[in-house]
Amino acid sequence: MSVGETVEAETAPRRRRGPALRFGLIVAAVLLLLFGVPWWTLVWSGNRWPGAVFAAATVLFAAVAAAFPVLMFSGHGRHHDGAARTADTVLGVVWVLFVWSILGNVLRLVLALAGVADPVRSRTVTAAVALVAIVLLLWGYAEAMRVSRVRRVDVIVPRLGAGLDGLRVVLLTDTHYGPIDRTRWSRGVVEVVNSLQPDIVAHTGDIADGEVAQRREQAAPLGDVRARLARVYVTGNHEYFSGAQRWVEHMASLGWEALHNRHLVVTRDGSSLTLAGVDDRTAAGSGLPGHHMDHEAALAGADPDLPVLLLAHQPQQVTGAVAHGVDLQISGHTHGGQMWPFHYLVRLDQPVLQGLSRHGERTQLYTSRGTGFWGPPFRIFAPSEITLITLHSH
């Protein structure tokens, strides 16, 4: 072995350790903030709790903070549903405590300016933060677990033929069947969908967190969805953590058309619509053969005179829709932020948080807040939805 090869062999492990060390430091810093800010606000600051109370609360915060990454890895890395449920719930609770502890310190400043001294000032802040957190978490849990409300949206598509005026499209997305068994919830969603008497039902991805074998029972009610013209589906980013091709095949076995970079044409009363779909934008990075976002393939051979309804999981994919003259893209992914104020972070990555928006001269985008929830079983100021989109020609 040459001197150069010897040096390379010695430095390679160091290069590998570098990113791992940086990642570890980032995780440690995030955990310190998430748990440290609530601990400082509720336990330390100027509360002057009795020694036993202070010690017990500090030990509790430290124990939960230490257990959290272990539970998260065991739950989502090794697919242990019990650990995943616990870790996700802890994440939701600590996020709410973190956010409202920061806001609570604004109240601390106001009380200080008003001449209120410690420990009354700090204990007032602690009580306010705890009360708000409890109320929001209970309400957020109820919002997450309930069958989604119907959100009705009318969209004018100028190129739509007269025979398709009034076409009813029901959008499901981000069902995220996961560690919490929501089979009954899934049946409830399907009952609502069928009551809307849709012409088309679309699922724009993130069906589940887990393999088909794990979530088969929760997804089974999707086989009972009724639509006059088509039931169509595209992959989301979470499928690429959970066996995307197996989900494509399973949805086909339930009677859904997987628009895997392809399209079909639906016709009613002499008017037609191109119904197209593309894989999620993360698909290419999954290494799964044949999976990548490809608008060109999805619309290959499509009649350019027909209006196009495109399924794409992420709003960010609208750039490709604009470039290919799509009339309407329907998406999910954002969850509307799911837990306020997380939506500010979502907007750093996506052009739209929720609702109907226009992009370019022709293309419109509808972004759903999602039908289910991801991770923490809470929805705070971001209600879920089953979307009824009615298309009009004018």
Side-chain angles (χ1 to χ4, degrees):
M1 180 182 286
S2 69
V3 173
E5 290 171 328
T6 303
V7 171
E8 177 68 21
E10 290 176 350
T11 56
R14 294 177 197 168
R15 287 200 299 268
R16 288 194 294 269
R17 285 197 298 268
L21 179 60
R22 284 194 295 274
F23 177 75
L25 290 173
I26 290 170
V27 169
V30 169
L31 290 177
L32 184 62
L33 277 173
L34 275 178
F35 288 89
V37 171
W39 172 81
W40 185 88
T41 303
L42 304 177
V43 180
W44 180 258
S45 62
N47 283 290
R48 299 176 193 167
W49 299 119
V53 173
F54 175 82
T58 300
V59 168
L60 176 63
F61 266 94
V64 174
F68 174 70
V70 177
L71 289 167
M72 189 63 76
F73 175 74
S74 176
H76 294 286
R78 296 184 173 175
H79 309 294
H80 295 157
D81 281 353
R85 285 192 296 270
T86 304
D88 290 343
T89 303
V90 168
L91 178 59
V93 171
V94 77
W95 172 256
V96 171
L97 288 174
F98 171 75
V99 168
W100 289 92
S101 290
I102 291 174
L103 295 175
N105 283 298
V106 176
L107 174 60
R108 183 191 307 279
L109 178 60
V110 171
L111 292 175
L113 292 174
V116 179
D118 277 331
V120 172
R121 179 173 68 234
S122 291
R123 291 186 182 184
T124 299
V125 170
T126 294
V129 170
L131 179 62
V132 169
I134 290 169
V135 169
L136 287 179
L137 288 167
L138 290 174
W139 172 62
Y141 179 80
E143 280 290 305
M145 302 305 291
R146 63 165 292 154
V147 172
S148 313
R149 301 173 183 85
V150 176
R151 188 177 186 183
R152 300 170 189 269
V153 181
D154 293 290
V155 180
I156 295 174
V157 178
R159 298 203 303 155
L160 193 71
L164 290 173
D165 192 78
L167 190 79
R168 297 162 71 86
V169 180
V170 170
L171 170 59
L172 301 176
T173 186
D174 301 281
T175 43
H176 285 285
Y177 302 124
I180 297 174
D181 186 355
R182 287 181 291 141
T183 304
R184 192 167 81 169
W185 175 88
S186 183
R187 286 196 294 266
V189 167
V190 169
E191 288 174 6
V192 172
V193 169
N194 289 339
S195 74
L196 297 174
Q197 300 181 317
D199 297 298
I200 296 168
V201 179
H203 195 305
T204 55
D206 280 8
I207 287 179
D209 294 306
E211 291 278 352
V212 170
Q214 293 175 286
R215 312 302 179 210
R216 186 184 303 274
E217 186 177 350
Q218 293 184 58
L222 292 176
D224 297 325
V225 167
R226 295 190 298 271
R228 294 187 186 94
L229 300 178
R231 296 181 294 172
V232 288
Y233 154 73
V234 293
T235 56
N237 57 308
H238 278 247
E239 274 85 338
Y240 293 98
F241 307 137
S242 310
Q245 185 57 38
R246 286 183 287 279
W247 276 110
V248 167
E249 293 165 359
H250 185 63
M251 288 296 280
S253 75
L254 294 176
W256 290 67
E257 289 267 6
L259 297 181
H260 177 36
N261 294 323
R262 54 182 286 264
H263 73 271
L264 53 85
V265 176
V266 295
T267 302
R268 189 182 76 179
D269 296 337
S271 298
S272 297
L273 170 72
T274 298
L275 196 52
V278 291
D279 296 343
D280 184 67
R281 70 185 179 104
T282 64
S286 71
L288 194 62
H291 283 255
H292 59 285
M293 180 178 67
D294 192 339
H295 290 80
E296 199 75 35
L299 294 169
D303 185 340
D305 293 328
L306 294 183
V308 179
L309 172 61
L310 177 73
L311 280 64
H313 179 62
Q314 300 193 37
Q316 195 179 78
Q317 293 173 275
V318 76
T319 303
V322 172
H324 289 83
V326 167
D327 296 85
L328 174 63
Q329 174 179 312
I330 53 176
S331 300
H333 185 66
T334 68
H335 298 207
Q338 187 165 317
M339 295 180 66
W340 184 89
F342 196 76
H343 67 284
Y344 289 115
L345 296 179
V346 174
R347 283 290 283 114
L348 294 176
D349 183 55
Q350 299 294 330
V352 176
L353 188 70
Q354 56 89 25
L356 188 65
S357 55
R358 180 170 289 279
H359 303 262
E361 292 184 8
R362 176 185 291 178
T363 305
Q364 296 181 81
L365 165 66
Y366 183 79
T367 305
S368 167
R369 292 185 299 247
T371 313
F373 62 86
W374 170 84
F378 307 101
R379 272 189 170 271
I380 297 174
F381 305 131
S384 60
E385 64 179 83
I386 296 166
T387 319
L388 173 59
I389 301 171
T390 305
L391 303 185
H392 301 282
S393 57
H394 58 272

